[in-house]
Structure formats: structure tokens, C-alpha cells
Amino acid sequence: MQAQSRKWRLAKKSIGFVPTMGALHEGHLELVRACRKENDVTIASVYVNPLQFGPKEDFAKYPRTLEKDLKMLQGEKVNAVFTPSDKEMYPAGFSTSVEVKGPLMQGLCAPFRPGHFNGVATVVVKLLGAVMPDRLYLGQKDAQQLAVLRQVIKDLNMDIETISCPTVREHDGLAMSSRNQGLTLEGRKTAPALYKALKVGKSIVELGETQAEKVLEEIRKVIEDEKNVKIQYLEAVNPETLVPVTEIKPGTMIALATYLDNVRLIDNIVI
Ligand code: AMP
């Protein structure tokens, strides 16, 4: 990967990079399309990173559809797909990890997924070292991942521009996710309630309610009307610092994580 990227860099080609864990959907493809528009060369990666899954999480069950993914990426005319093996990424003797600390790690998913963002940071730094891109494309759906990776890139003086792309949704509002495949038919019918609830929150703010506590309470009610949904967290935060706010202002992000059919679903909306 490095040898190929070095050739492109020597030829003065700009390189954009879209890292993924595969089981691709339109959300991933929109990142690829944004990348293709802004760069001479587009590189995607497909790698299910064991480091970012907790011991009780769905690493073994995570969908793996490499052949189909490669066809989809070919259809989008990417220039290369990097698909390293676990052995290439973490050979015997591998001893380094990237640890992120501070306010970005205090709320949202971080307390519920100890080690997750350090696993993400470590693999992405490794992927960036292999791909050597000018620009990195990430989805707004994973808002904390986006904030954490921006911080890592800044803190480690990496000369890479991070570009965030809007969340791509199904027609009924459900945020596209590889994990949606794990929902039962019943769960799939319930899942759009998450975004519906976030939109209810947004409309309450637009009607003049700015107290976060009250807005979150209304969102919670909409979700709790549904059977089988368990809220893990529901927070109103500053989208860059991820610090919770008591007053909702334009730009505030409301983010949630829920369990539905044992599938963990996250979503967010920016007011
Ligand atoms: P994943 O394969 O789920 O790790 O995601 C790879 C990249 O795709 C991340 O930057 C995600 O934020 C992004 N992504 C995943 N789902 C969506 C979506 N529905 N809309 C936009 N970006 C997404």
C-alpha cells in the first residue's frame, strides 16, 4: 500500500482515503463519492479491527461481505482498496497503541465501550501510515469517532485534512449501518423511531424550548413508547468538544445509543 501511495504522491496526485469495516452500504458509498470529487486518487480500506471491539461485543458476528464490497467499490471507481489481514496489522510483537484522554472520552459511547476509541485511534493511525492520504473522509453518524480522530490527527501533527459527510438514511429515516442487518423484521420496523424521536426534539427546540433536560425528556418519551428499545444514553452536547450542554443552541448535537434486538444502534442530530 505504501509503495503504491508513494508513487501517487511522487506523481503529485492528491489522495483521499475512506476507511471502513466493510458490509458496505450507501453511507459508505457517499463517503467514496465525496472523496472522488475532491481528490485525484481515492483509496478505501476494508478491515474489521479486532482492537476496537470489547470482549462482549459483536466482533465475531460483525458482517463480512468482502466480495460484494469490492464490487461496490469497483462500481464507484476507487483506485485501490486496502484489505490488510490481522497478521499484517498486528504481527507478533506489536506493542504500540494510541490512547486518547480528556473530555472527548468522558461522555456518549466512551464510558460504555472502554477501549473502543483507543482501538479506533490505533488502527486509523496505522491505516493513515500505510495509505499516506491528504484527506480523510468520515461519517457524521459516528460523531464521537469523528471528534476523536480530528483530535488525534491534530495532536500527532499529521498533515491530513478530515472531512465529515452527512449521515445517509433509509427512506424511513433509519441511519444506515452495517449493524442494521442484525435486526429482526420486528426490530427493523421499530428502528426508525430513533430518528423520529430526534426530529421531535429538534422541532421542540424550533418551537422555543431550549432547556436540554426538557427536550431530552420528550425524546426519551417517544423512544420509550416503543417496545424492545433500551436507551443506553441520550445527551445534548457541543459537537466539537462533546461537552454536555444545559441550553440547546443552533449547532448543539443531540446523540443517542440504544439497544434493539441486542443490536446497538447510534444516531444523532444537529440542531
Ligand atoms: P464503519 O464501516 O461502520 O466503521 O464506517 C466507516 C465509515 O463510514 C465511518 O466514517 C462511518 O462514520 C461512515 N458511515 C457509516 N454509516 C454511515 C451513514 N449511514 N452515513 C454516513 N456515513 C456513514
Side-chain angles (χ1 to χ4, degrees):
M1 185 70 255
Q2 272 175 340
Q4 180 59 56
S5 278
R6 200 173 292 121
K7 276 188 206 158
W8 277 319
R9 291 184 77 95
L10 277 173
K12 302 267 183 273
K13 305 279 187 201
S14 61
I15 301 178
F17 177 43
V18 182
T20 81
M21 296 209 299
L24 300 183
H25 50 65
E26 272 299 303
H28 298 113
L29 298 188
E30 278 296 306
L31 297 184
V32 169
R33 288 171 198 142
C35 183
R36 281 241 307 150
K37 269 194 208 135
E38 295 167 4
N39 299 279
D40 300 319
V41 168
T42 289
I43 301 175
S45 66
V46 175
Y47 180 61
V48 184
N49 171 38
L51 280 196
Q52 71 191 67
F53 289 81
K56 290 190 185 136
E57 292 185 354
D58 55 351
F59 176 66
K61 277 200 309 196
Y62 198 84
R64 289 163 172 86
T65 57
L66 185 60
E67 287 309 310
K68 190 171 158 223
D69 294 344
L70 293 177
K71 286 210 179 91
M72 288 167 84
L73 291 169
Q74 197 166 32
E76 297 298 328
K77 300 193 170 65
V78 304
N79 300 84
V81 186
F82 184 42
T83 61
S85 67
D86 288 341
K87 266 205 177 134
E88 278 175 291
M89 289 301 269
Y90 305 114
F94 180 82
S95 313
T96 303
S97 79
V98 178
E99 187 186 358
V100 186
K101 291 185 274 199
L104 291 178
M105 296 292 285
Q106 275 158 21
L108 308 181
C109 297
F112 298 101
R113 303 190 71 188
H116 170 70
F117 289 109
N118 291 341
V120 170
T122 303
V123 79
V124 170
V125 167
K126 282 177 66 68
L127 291 168
L128 294 174
V131 172
M132 301 187 284
D134 301 286
R135 299 190 186 88
L136 170 67
Y137 291 80
L138 300 170
Q140 171 64 32
K141 186 186 82 94
D142 299 278
Q144 192 166 20
Q145 170 170 283
L146 174 69
V148 165
L149 290 174
R150 278 191 201 281
Q151 187 71 43
V152 168
I153 284 168
K154 181 171 169 227
D155 288 350
L156 300 183
N157 307 103
M158 301 174 106
D159 186 15
I160 296 168
E161 185 187 355
T162 306
I163 289 138
S164 81
C165 299
T167 302
V168 178
R169 300 178 180 281
E170 303 285 356
H171 292 302
D172 55 15
L174 173 63
M176 288 191 183
S177 164
S178 311
R179 290 193 166 96
N180 293 349
Q181 296 181 23
L183 293 170
T184 59
L185 216 59
E186 193 65 18
R188 179 61 189 81
K189 281 188 200 152
T190 306
L194 306 185
Y195 187 54
K196 195 178 108 196
L198 290 173
K199 281 199 302 189
V200 166
K202 188 173 178 196
S203 60
I204 294 169
V205 177
E206 282 162 0
L207 289 172
E209 179 59 72
T210 61
Q211 274 191 56
E213 204 180 315
K214 290 203 175 143
V215 175
L216 296 180
E217 193 45 44
E218 293 305 315
I219 295 174
R220 188 175 289 276
K221 275 192 211 155
V222 177
I223 296 174
E224 286 175 348
D225 269 351
E226 302 290 338
K227 279 187 294 183
N228 303 329
V229 189
K230 242 179 58 196
I231 298 176
Q232 188 174 60
Y233 67 75
L234 172 61
E235 288 190 52
V237 299
N238 174 304
E240 275 135 45
T241 62
L242 306 185
V243 172
V245 299
T246 50
E247 279 293 297
I248 295 186
K249 298 192 185 105
T252 298
M253 179 171 76
I254 302 178
L256 55 75
T258 64
Y259 273 96
L260 174 55
D261 287 344
N262 282 327
V263 177
R264 189 169 180 279
L265 299 178
I266 60 171
D267 203 351
N268 64 72
I269 197 166
V270 174
I271 304 298

